[in-house]
Amino acid sequence: MAKLYFRYGAMNSGKSTGLLQAAFNYEERGQRVLLAKPDVDTKGDDQVVSRLGMARTVDIMIPAGASVTELFNAYAAGDDPDALLEHVDQKPVACLLVDEAQFLSAGQVDDLFRIAVQQNVPVLAYGIRTDFRTRMFPGAHRLMELAHTLEELKTICRCGRKAIFNTRRIGDEVVFDGDQVAIDGQDVWYESLCGSCYLEASGGRLGA
């Protein structure tokens, strides 16, 4: 039986870089992978973009409310989901890689679990655990509950300690108001901080 993996960390912990490296490793061995991400993540449009400058177009953009199982089955059957009834000679999918998995719904994470367990396809989901108010994203929450394997990807705070929180900023101001999802670069930016630096930056505040 294949497994569902959740590889999580604060921003700038190398999640997208790790995903692209995993895809390369599979393909170097002649195996087929599918890349997916929620369509709410508009950074890079339909690409997974690493802060190191690497980028790759995803195979599946996942809309809110969509069945990930149905999307996976469609793209696994062939490159053109509009021609699913035609026979397409494709290698079986060796791995499904999901970027920004925190933006998925709980039900969509359930689909990832089913793909791993029922279809025997390893699923590697990458994402962050908590938002700028230290609250867990719904997708991350469900991944924490279901994933067979949890792997923390570490990054460092500006002070040199391990960063665990993501602060949202407008200019130099730390903010706690606004939607849970605001993509980096859309009038906001984020900084990964340790607990001590987060409390210092927020004036001792933890969430809304």
Side-chain angles (χ1 to χ4, degrees), residues 108-121:
Q108 289 173 329
V109 174
D110 291 352
D111 283 344
L112 297 183
F113 184 83
R114 294 186 186 99
I115 290 167
V117 172
Q118 295 179 330
Q119 302 198 39
N120 199 33
V121 176

Side-chain angles (χ1 to χ4, degrees), residues 16-17 20 47-56:
S16 296
T17 301
L20 294 172
Q47 293 188 318
V48 173
V49 180
S50 163
R51 291 180 185 271
L52 294 182
M54 297 181 292
R56 174 169 169 165

Side-chain angles (χ1 to χ4, degrees), residues 88-105:
V88 180
D89 186 15
Q90 285 277 9
K91 289 183 180 179
V93 176
C95 184
L96 173 63
L97 299 135
V98 185
D99 198 30
E100 304 292 356
Q102 73 275 3
F103 296 144
L104 298 174
S105 68

Side-chain angles (χ1 to χ4, degrees), residues 40-145:
V40 69
D41 177 39
T42 56
K43 182 177 66 178
D45 297 321
D46 62 348
Q47 293 188 318
V48 173
V49 180
S50 163
R51 291 180 185 271
L52 294 182
M54 297 181 292
R56 174 169 169 165
T57 300
V58 302
D59 302 288
I60 307 170
M61 295 292 288
I62 305 171
S67 165
V68 180
T69 302
E70 290 179 3
L71 288 170
F72 171 80
N73 289 339
Y75 281 84
D79 292 331
D80 184 0
D82 296 324
L84 292 181
L85 298 180
E86 299 177 10
H87 173 71
V88 180
D89 186 15
Q90 285 277 9
K91 289 183 180 179
V93 176
C95 184
L96 173 63
L97 299 135
V98 185
D99 198 30
E100 304 292 356
Q102 73 275 3
F103 296 144
L104 298 174
S105 68
Q108 289 173 329
V109 174
D110 291 352
D111 283 344
L112 297 183
F113 184 83
R114 294 186 186 99
I115 290 167
V117 172
Q118 295 179 330
Q119 302 198 39
N120 199 33
V121 176
V123 179
L124 278 56
Y126 294 76
I128 60 177
R129 197 167 44 110
T130 57
D131 65 15
F132 66 107
R133 291 171 294 199
T134 70
R135 301 291 188 257
M136 196 172 289
F137 285 96
H141 189 173
R142 192 60 174 152
L143 280 160
M144 287 284 182
E145 293 174 331

Side-chain angles (χ1 to χ4, degrees), residues 131-197:
D131 65 15
F132 66 107
R133 291 171 294 199
T134 70
R135 301 291 188 257
M136 196 172 289
F137 285 96
H141 189 173
R142 192 60 174 152
L143 280 160
M144 287 284 182
E145 293 174 331
L146 287 185
H148 298 88
T149 301
L150 300 171
E151 300 176 18
E152 183 179 15
L153 305 176
K154 298 177 178 62
T155 189
I156 59 171
C157 175
R158 60 193 180 194
C159 71
R161 291 188 285 257
K162 186 178 85 168
I164 57 174
F165 294 120
N166 305 294
T167 56
R168 179 182 291 178
R169 296 174 181 266
I170 298 178
D172 291 329
E173 181 185 0
V174 176
V175 296
F176 289 92
D177 297 321
D179 295 335
Q180 185 177 48
V181 179
I183 304 303
D184 192 11
Q186 297 179 351
D187 301 322
V188 302
W189 63 284
Y190 295 88
E191 183 180 11
S192 303
L193 298 176
C194 69
S196 178
C197 289

Side-chain angles (χ1 to χ4, degrees), residues 21-33 91 94:
Q21 180 65 54
F24 176 83
N25 291 344
Y26 272 95
E27 291 176 337
E28 188 179 37
R29 291 157 179 79
Q31 296 179 309
R32 181 180 172 219
V33 300
K91 289 183 180 179

